[in-house]
Coordinates of all heavy atoms in Angstrom, one line a residue:
Chain A
M777 N 36.1 67.7 32.7 CA 37.6 67.5 32.9 C 38.2 68.3 34.0 O 39.1 67.9 34.6 CB 38.3 67.7 31.6 CG 39.3 66.7 31.2 SD 40.1 67.1 29.7 CE 39.3 65.9 28.6
W865 N 45.6 47.5 15.3 CA 46.6 46.5 15.1 C 46.8 46.1 13.7 O 47.7 45.5 13.3 CB 46.4 45.2 16.0 CG 45.0 44.7 15.8 CD1 44.6 43.8 14.9 CD2 43.9 45.0 16.6 NE1 43.2 43.5 15.1 CE2 42.8 44.3 16.1 CE3 43.6 45.9 17.7 CZ2 41.5 44.4 16.6 CZ3 42.4 46.0 18.2 CH2 41.3 45.2 17.7
D1014 N 32.9 53.9 4.7 CA 32.8 52.5 5.1 C 32.3 52.4 6.5 O 33.0 52.0 7.4 CB 34.2 51.9 4.9 CG 34.2 50.4 5.2 OD1 33.0 49.9 5.3 OD2 35.2 49.8 5.3
E1137 N 26.9 53.6 35.8 CA 26.5 53.5 37.2 C 26.7 52.1 37.8 O 26.6 51.9 39.0 CB 25.0 53.9 37.3 CG 25.0 55.4 37.3 CD 23.5 55.9 37.3 OE1 22.6 55.1 37.1 OE2 23.3 57.1 37.4

Side-chain angles (χ1 to χ4, degrees):
Chain A
M777 223 176 255
W865 50 88
D1014 188 9
E1137 282 171 351

